Amino acid sequence: TLNTRDYVSVIRTVGGSGAATVVGSSSGRLVSASRTHVKDLKAALKNVKPGGELNVAGTMSVAWKLLTASARAGTAGNATAGCSRVVLWITGGRDACYNTDACRSATAPGACPCTQGVLDEIAERQTELEAVGSSSGAILATLTIGDEVDDSLPRQMACAANGVWARITSGALSASGQSRSTDLTGYYRLLSASRWT
């Protein structure tokens, strides 16, 4: 979905309480989706192996900080197209927060703070992004991959940032292990609509 006028970054979520890491960029901002940068990102991603616990709030913080830094630098700083801002979060796991004793044993509604912590982080970072001169917020598209993945958090995250959620089951993956274009229809519609705002 990228073209040469877009700006992009890839973030790897790892390590439970560990910080998420930006893959293929050390500038602290988005990079142009030029053929060279996209090729470099793909090469960097080939070295990334799944593993570790998810830290969703930390990842959302890093994502929005990249967007905010790029919005501050602006088009003159070669860090943004000044257009729609989209965060695409792809997951096949569950936030490490839910594995804590407090949340495993929580029986009362609201006793486990994990979901609210992620939603609060998104709201706080969204407010910071919107405060940058003439900057709009970001929309969040969430995608869960797998048959048994808990989708309650990804659904709520998408709603919190005017986005869309989709699930790709293992049976829906193509023979190559990639999703088919029809599996991402909601995401493509979201991108198409966002370009007209």
Side-chain angles (χ1 to χ4, degrees), residues 60-75:
M60 294 299 107
S61 177
V62 171
W64 259 266
K65 284 179 181 178
L66 282 167
L67 291 171
T68 301
S70 295
R72 285 192 179 112
T75 54

Side-chain angles (χ1 to χ4, degrees), residues 29 64-80 85 125 127-133 135:
R29 300 188 312 216
W64 259 266
K65 284 179 181 178
L66 282 167
L67 291 171
T68 301
S70 295
R72 285 192 179 112
T75 54
N78 199 29
T80 181
R85 293 175 173 87
R125 299 301 172 194
T127 300
E128 290 174 4
L129 176 59
E130 291 169 350
V132 176
S135 176

Side-chain angles (χ1 to χ4, degrees), residues 98-125:
Y98 293 103
N99 296 327
T100 62
D101 289 339
C103 287
R104 272 199 306 263
S105 62
T107 54
C112 176
C114 298
T115 299
Q116 194 58 51
V118 171
L119 299 179
D120 289 346
E121 186 67 32
I122 291 170
E124 180 180 341
R125 299 301 172 194

